[in-house]
Amino acid sequence: MIGWEAQTKVYATKRNTQLADFKSNVRSHTVGTTAVVYASDYLNKLTGERIERECKKQLDSGARALVIDFSDTELVNSIGISILLGIIDIAEKSGALVVFSDVNNETVQLFEMLGLTRHVVLAKDEEDALTTVSGNSKAMGH
Amino acid sequence: MSSSPDQVRRILGRVKRAEFVGRSAELERLISNALSAQAGRDAAGLLVLLAPLAGVSELLRQTYDELFNAQGDVAPIYFSLPASETTAVSAAIEFLNAFLAQYIAFRRNEPAIAQASLTINNLLELAPVADLDWIEELVNAYKKQRFSDNDRELVRFCFNAPRRVPATNPKPYILFDAVKLANYDNEQVSLASEIIRALAGSQSFVLAGLRREIIREVEGAGVDYGKLEKVRLEPLNEADARRLVASVARREGVSISDESRDLLAQQFEASPFLIGAMVQAAREKHLALDSYFDCERLYVDELLGGRLNHYFTSQLENVAPDPVDRRALIRVLSESLPAGQRTATFAAWTRRLNLEPVEVERILRSLHVQEIVNWDGETVDTQRGSSPWRDFVRSRFRLDALREPRALVVADLMSTALKRAPQAVARHYRRSASLPLRDVLQKFNFQRVPNVLFDYSAFAADFKGAPTEEVVAQLEIDQQTMKLPQVFHTAYAVAFSSELKQFDEESCVVAHAFAGAGYTDENEVVWLAAKIESKLEVETDVVEAWCNRLENLALRSGFLRIQLWLIANEGFSAEARERLRARGAYTSSRAQFELLSAQLSESVNKSTAAANDEFVFILPMGADNELLAAATAEQIARRLNFRPEAINQIKTAIVEACINASEHSLSPDQKIYQRFRVEDDKLVITISSRGILPANVEASTGASGAAKGTADDLDQRRGWGLKLIKTLMDEVEFERVDEGTSLRMVKYLRS
């Protein structure tokens, strides 16, 4: 078993640059063992599944926290939300933290209506999200 | 193309255009159909479906005169099946003769020829040079055909004669009055089929006849009933009926008082034929109709020996030509007149008539066509029929079967008619002034109305003594609304329970309805509504009696789910209200009822007036097209100055509604239909699709309407769409549609 620091180094060497997955068209990058995934302007079934795939990939590659950034997202539908809940399930099983960043007020309301906010941390922006992850990691003793 | 009433030269019309009462819209329809047929614009033949005694011949004659006088490219041909001609062949020859005479009259613009009694050879001589060739050819062919032994061929030849008119000539437009078609039932050649096929071949015709007969015969002739235009002729309304009586009396030079005018309009149930017959009889006998007494004395004379007698007797003779059979029929009909004895089985009729089943079938079919009975093959339900018909049947029975002295029958009939006259007119005046309960119930069609209109206690507390304008204004912003059911059948309660005969027939109505979007057993409900006459608030004993009466009716009739609704002019006493609340009854005063009636009428008008503020879009399902719908809604919502947050809520709700429509409906056309309607203070959005009604929607159209909660599995999460919509919008409901779904969402500006 390797420690948090070591794990972070290995992971970082694999994915130390921002990359765009052209197949899924989901933008993401990693900061240490945290994967930042960017949601598109409309979160529906198709784009939700792309995010889901990207998140799984990141978790499989050793990510210990997921930040899903909604700064471009204007509209979210219920299927997209149900997929997000699926991502939260998967992350929980992997012991990974999930943070949603830069979510607009209307979308926050939807998340609240459907109970998502009980399972995720909301952050003002990506930076705030990374700080939250970092703080959480320390608190967990990693 | 319509000429002004004063300009129309009278040719076949029996009255001046200005005196032609109550059928202006129908006249326009017929003329428009004729012109479309001539122009070849998607014209189909037109059926005039007639309620018994509604009268059609003058409508056809007026149409004829309009078209004749226009001297355009439509040559009108009017033909009425003669009542006295007994064979299909003679009727067909008569048609050929009328066709030639009227076509030549039109071509020569000589109206006199249209009605002259002329032989075929005379007509040939009168044919204009331009038409001589084809008319001569037609006449020669007819002469050959006439002496063949094939009746069917001859009939067919005659009815198809208009098709021989050269294409460059004015096109014949046949106005065929087939009200007497039933008289030809015994023919070897099916006259109805031959007429209908010949007319359908020309696509340029009006066929008028009794509605039940025409529908059956058109379908029997193999003609596509759905493709034909239809005009339905009901009896005249009361105001037109009064105008008609006055107009006929003026024309015939018969003095008539206003009271007699109203009586005749009521007594003859607005039938142009019966009214005309009565007034003409008065003219012939040099009688004035200045009092009820004058009217009823003449009525009894006419019913037992005059025109009315002749009309009803011929009707019966056509149904049952054999005198013995006819006597038996009169007995059965007479015994079936009282309420409670109107329904019998086919077997019972066969036994009572003592005839072979095939003959009973023929009689019943004929009575069914005349709407004297309703016959479904097994059960025979004798209709009440018009008041003169009932008097005729009863008096014939007494005279023919019971052999009562004529003088006694006459005296009784006169006495009954005189006693009935003031009641009939009073009933009419009451009806005019009173609440049209049945009419209002018939308008129930899932509209939303303020709850307070059905709750007298709340209404009295909030609005008693308030000016009407203020009440109306308050109701407009009242958010406590209820959804009315969709009423699909109404009847006076006396049809279900003879106990209610003691009350005015129109005071109590049974309305069958569906209360939810789905046509399911659970949603079916029967409204039992009663109007209680009272000048004061109604007391407990009266409401208890009414509730018991209505609940007994429901029990006996097997109504599983009922809604009681009592209406009283001045409402109900406090104790009565409590009792009614305990029984779940709705309560309305006259004021509430009138407000409801006005709202329902408005909603009908609004639906047409709203067209200018309505946007309709159809989008293919899939490809994120819900975003287009959301963008459209955004634009419309911006115009209405919705707040940005509300606009986002609307957009999300629309996206969800579109997804629901796409995901669950198995839509055959893969389209989403969207309607955005802008109203004063709200945006009403309807998203619909064809296909099946999804189970989750079906469940949500019931009482609860709640969507699934935040359960964990994906299927359940898919139920979130509806929950979201309900949270985001102010009003959400599934409208009743025959297939698929139609989700109506409302967002108020204030929200």
Side-chain angles (χ1 to χ4, degrees):
Chain A
M1 182 117 180
I2 55 175
W4 168 255
E5 292 291 334
Q7 199 181 36
T8 302
K9 274 182 191 163
V10 173
Y11 185 70
T13 51
K14 280 184 184 170
R15 294 179 165 270
N16 55 1
T17 51
Q18 183 177 327
L19 63 93
D21 184 336
F22 291 105
K23 269 187 187 171
S24 65
N25 213 18
V26 174
R27 203 154 55 87
S28 68
H29 70 109
T30 55
V31 178
T33 54
T34 300
V36 182
V37 180
Y38 295 90
S40 59
D41 56 349
Y42 177 36
L43 181 63
N44 60 0
K45 184 170 186 281
L46 183 69
T47 57
E49 284 172 351
R50 284 176 182 166
I51 292 171
E52 185 180 31
R53 194 165 59 233
E54 181 63 23
C55 287
K56 277 183 184 166
K57 201 161 72 180
Q58 298 283 6
L59 290 171
D60 290 345
S61 305
R64 300 300 307 271
L66 295 172
V67 172
I68 303 178
D69 184 278
F70 290 92
S71 52
D72 290 338
T73 306
E74 287 179 19
L75 209 56
V76 174
N77 74 25
S78 60
I79 302 176
I81 296 175
S82 75
I83 292 170
L84 289 179
L85 205 55
I87 295 171
I88 293 167
D89 286 346
I90 294 165
E92 273 179 3
K93 281 175 191 158
S94 308
L97 177 69
V98 182
V99 181
F100 288 175
S101 66
D102 220 341
V103 190
N104 68 33
N105 286 341
E106 291 78 24
T107 307
V108 169
Q109 277 184 5
L110 293 185
F111 288 170
E112 279 172 356
M113 277 176 215
L114 298 177
L116 249 76
T117 44
R118 289 203 300 268
H119 305 281
V120 292
V121 177
L122 293 180
K124 187 164 53 85
D125 51 27
E126 186 181 329
E127 194 184 334
D128 186 29
L130 290 171
T131 308
T132 304
V133 170
S134 168
N136 192 271
S137 309
K138 283 176 187 158
M140 297 282 288
H142 292 296
Chain B
M1 124 122 211
S2 294
S3 322
S4 86
D6 295 335
Q7 292 169 334
V8 177
R9 175 174 48 165
R10 202 136 62 88
I11 303 163
L12 298 188
R14 288 178 176 154
V15 299
K16 289 180 192 163
R17 172 71 191 282
E19 291 173 355
F20 181 52
V21 174
R23 300 291 191 206
S24 301
E26 289 85 357
L27 180 60
E28 291 297 327
R29 277 282 303 276
L30 266 58
I31 289 167
S32 157
N33 180 271
L35 298 180
S36 299
Q38 182 277 324
R41 288 194 306 263
D42 262 353
L46 189 149
L47 301 179
V48 179
L49 304 170
L50 196 67
L53 298 176
V56 72
S57 68
E58 191 57 29
L59 171 63
L60 300 182
R61 289 167 181 275
Q62 292 288 333
T63 308
Y64 178 94
D65 287 4
E66 282 267 359
L67 294 171
F68 190 104
N69 284 319
Q71 283 293 302
D73 292 329
V74 180
I77 309 293
Y78 169 77
F79 183 70
S80 173
L81 272 180
S84 55
E85 293 290 343
T86 51
T87 69
V89 168
S90 57
I93 293 172
E94 191 80 1
F95 173 82
L96 176 65
N97 204 292
F99 160 64
L100 281 174
Q102 292 179 28
Y103 197 84
I104 292 166
F106 178 81
R107 291 287 273 167
R108 294 171 64 117
N109 197 8
E110 289 180 35
I113 299 174
Q115 297 189 83
S117 177
L118 299 165
T119 65
I120 289 278
N121 287 333
N122 294 150
L123 289 167
L124 196 54
E125 284 166 20
L126 288 168
V129 178
D131 294 312
L132 196 55
D133 288 348
W134 70 266
I135 291 179
E136 197 167 31
E137 204 176 296
L138 173 66
V139 168
N140 290 336
Y142 163 69
K143 284 176 178 168
K144 270 189 208 160
Q145 193 72 53
R146 191 180 171 186
F147 295 106
S148 75
D149 287 335
N150 192 332
D151 283 355
R152 184 183 302 278
E153 282 303 311
L154 178 58
V155 168
R156 196 166 288 172
F157 175 88
C158 292
F159 284 124
N160 280 292
R163 296 166 80 171
R164 292 176 175 252
V165 174
T168 49
N169 272 29
K171 195 171 183 179
Y173 185 70
I174 315 294
L175 299 150
F176 204 114
D177 179 350
V179 174
K180 301 286 187 302
L181 197 54
N183 297 4
Y184 296 81
D185 249 10
N186 295 326
E187 286 292 297
Q188 285 185 331
V189 176
S190 168
L191 186 65
S193 292
E194 293 302 334
I195 293 168
I196 291 163
R197 285 189 194 127
L199 292 176
S202 76
Q203 294 188 332
S204 177
F205 68 92
V206 172
L207 175 63
L210 293 172
R211 53 194 174 190
R212 288 185 176 176
E213 180 163 53
I214 290 294
I215 292 169
R216 181 169 62 98
E217 295 294 355
V218 167
E219 285 173 348
V223 171
D224 188 348
Y225 174 77
K227 280 191 178 165
L228 299 172
E229 264 194 68
K230 286 122 202 150
V231 168
R232 293 172 199 279
L233 275 194
E234 299 292 337
L236 294 174
N237 63 42
E238 290 183 355
D240 282 340
R242 287 197 297 276
R243 280 178 57 214
L244 177 70
V245 176
S247 167
V248 178
R250 199 167 44 244
R251 194 169 62 243
E252 300 290 347
V254 172
S255 165
I256 190 165
S257 65
D258 287 352
E259 291 80 359
S260 296
R261 177 202 62 193
D262 290 1
L263 172 66
L264 294 189
Q266 286 303 306
Q267 187 159 328
F268 293 115
E269 297 175 19
S271 160
F273 170 77
L274 296 179
I275 290 169
M278 183 75 175
V279 179
Q280 281 160 19
R283 175 183 46 87
E284 284 169 12
K285 294 177 179 175
H286 306 291
L287 295 173
L289 298 172
D290 288 333
S291 66
Y292 287 175
F293 185 81
D294 293 340
C295 293
E296 299 304 357
R297 190 169 52 187
L298 179 62
Y299 169 68
V300 171
D301 280 354
E302 284 296 298
L303 197 66
L304 294 180
R307 287 163 192 259
L308 300 182
N309 181 274
H310 177 71
Y311 173 74
F312 290 131
T313 302
S314 354
Q315 207 174 0
L316 266 180
E317 282 173 355
N318 285 322
V319 174
D322 182 272
V324 178
D325 299 347
R326 198 158 57 241
R327 201 170 302 138
L329 177 62
I330 287 172
R331 171 185 282 273
V332 175
L333 287 172
S334 176
E335 288 172 353
S336 307
L337 285 177
Q341 294 174 40
R342 291 184 197 149
T343 305
T345 61
F346 176 79
W349 269 66
T350 307
R351 279 197 303 277
R352 298 303 307 275
L353 290 176
N354 195 22
L355 289 170
E356 291 298 316
V358 64
E359 188 54 21
V360 179
E361 264 185 46
R362 198 196 61 72
I363 288 174
L364 282 174
R365 199 164 36 243
S366 186
L367 292 172
H368 179 79
V369 162
Q370 309 280 351
E371 300 188 27
I372 293 167
V373 302
N374 280 333
W375 179 46
D376 61 8
E378 177 48 39
T379 306
V380 185
D381 184 12
T382 307
Q383 301 286 285
R384 294 183 72 232
S386 64
S387 165
W389 165 255
R390 294 199 299 275
D391 286 343
F392 172 78
V393 168
R394 276 197 205 99
S395 55
R396 289 307 331 159
F397 175 60
R398 292 179 64 184
L399 289 168
D400 301 346
L402 303 180
R403 303 277 180 200
E404 290 187 30
R406 187 178 177 83
L408 178 61
V409 174
V410 170
D412 282 353
L413 189 55
M414 179 78 184
S415 158
T416 306
L418 279 171
K419 284 186 271 187
R420 192 176 51 199
Q423 291 167 8
V425 175
R427 195 163 51 243
H428 153 63
Y429 291 147
R430 264 205 306 276
R431 195 163 52 226
S432 306
S434 74
L435 310 172
L437 182 55
R438 191 172 172 186
D439 292 355
V440 168
L441 278 160
Q442 271 169 346
K443 285 181 190 157
F444 282 22
N445 189 16
F446 294 140
Q447 300 94 331
R448 281 207 162 271
V449 295
N451 288 345
V452 74
L453 294 179
F454 288 93
D455 180 352
Y456 176 68
S457 296
F459 187 83
D462 293 348
F463 300 121
K464 203 162 187 183
T468 307
E469 302 75 35
E470 194 181 304
V471 178
V472 170
Q474 287 298 316
L475 290 179
E476 271 179 16
I477 55 170
D478 191 346
Q479 296 304 309
Q480 302 292 315
T481 60
M482 62 182 272
K483 190 174 171 188
L484 296 175
Q486 182 185 54
V487 167
F488 60 87
H489 180 262
T490 61
Y492 295 124
V494 71
F496 291 86
S497 167
S498 53
E499 186 199 343
L500 293 161
K501 269 169 70 180
Q502 57 180 306
F503 302 101
D504 185 13
E505 181 181 66
E506 293 169 21
S507 68
C508 189
V509 174
V510 176
H512 283 74
F514 283 102
Y519 292 151
T520 59
D521 289 344
E522 295 74 36
N523 284 339
E524 194 164 354
V525 61
V526 181
W527 278 51
L528 301 166
K531 190 175 62 182
I532 304 170
E533 288 294 330
S534 175
K535 288 179 181 168
L536 301 169
E537 286 191 335
V538 175
E539 293 297 339
T540 314
D541 53 339
V542 177
V543 299
E544 287 283 1
W546 266 106
C547 288
N548 292 340
R549 217 170 270 136
L550 296 176
E551 284 173 358
N552 285 340
L553 183 155
L555 197 65
R556 281 198 303 274
S557 307
F559 300 154
L560 297 178
R561 190 174 155 212
I562 61 167
Q563 175 61 58
L564 302 185
W565 180 28
L566 297 188
I567 302 133
N569 283 348
E570 298 301 325
F572 305 85
S573 70
E575 194 188 341
R577 279 180 243 163
E578 276 312 307
R579 296 285 178 87
L580 287 167
R581 187 176 295 121
R583 298 177 87 141
Y586 290 147
T587 50
S588 304
S589 63
R590 183 189 178 96
Q592 287 166 278
F593 187 88
E594 285 178 350
L595 288 162
L596 173 70
S597 176
Q599 285 216 351
L600 296 181
S601 303
E602 252 176 42
S603 73
V604 173
N605 296 336
K606 261 187 189 169
S607 62
T608 45
N612 289 339
D613 295 323
E614 194 167 84
F615 306 83
V616 179
F617 298 94
I618 303 171
L619 291 174
M621 289 177 174
D624 290 352
N625 283 340
E626 65 270 20
L627 290 178
L628 295 175
T632 306
E634 182 173 7
Q635 292 302 316
I636 297 169
R638 275 188 205 286
R639 285 193 195 181
L640 288 176
N641 295 322
F642 273 100
R643 289 177 296 107
E645 187 190 340
I647 291 175
N648 236 301
Q649 290 172 339
I650 293 169
K651 285 168 69 181
T652 306
I654 285 177
V655 164
E656 292 302 328
C658 290
I659 291 170
N660 261 348
S662 309
E663 278 209 323
H664 304 296
S665 65
L666 299 180
S667 168
D669 62 359
Q670 293 289 299
K671 298 257 194 319
I672 301 173
Y673 300 83
Q674 298 151 65
R675 204 167 61 232
F676 300 89
R677 202 171 68 242
V678 177
E679 293 185 8
D680 297 341
D681 58 341
K682 63 190 174 193
L683 178 62
V684 182
I685 303 161
T686 310
I687 306 286
S688 49
S689 62
R690 293 186 50 207
I692 60 165
L693 182 64
N696 68 325
V697 170
E698 206 161 8
S700 75
T701 54
S704 76
K708 287 166 186 155
T710 56
D712 284 341
D713 65 79
L714 192 64
D715 279 349
Q716 281 179 312
R717 286 175 198 161
R718 288 294 172 88
W720 285 353
L722 199 52
K723 182 183 175 181
L724 272 183
I725 295 169
K726 289 185 174 184
T727 313
L728 298 168
M729 302 296 277
D730 295 319
E731 287 174 22
V732 178
E733 64 182 352
F734 282 96
E735 293 182 323
R736 166 69 225 167
V737 284
D738 287 333
E739 57 163 277
T741 57
S742 178
L743 184 67
R744 179 179 180 274
M745 306 177 285
V746 179
K747 190 76 172 170
Y748 284 90
L749 263 173
R750 50 152 181 76
S751 62

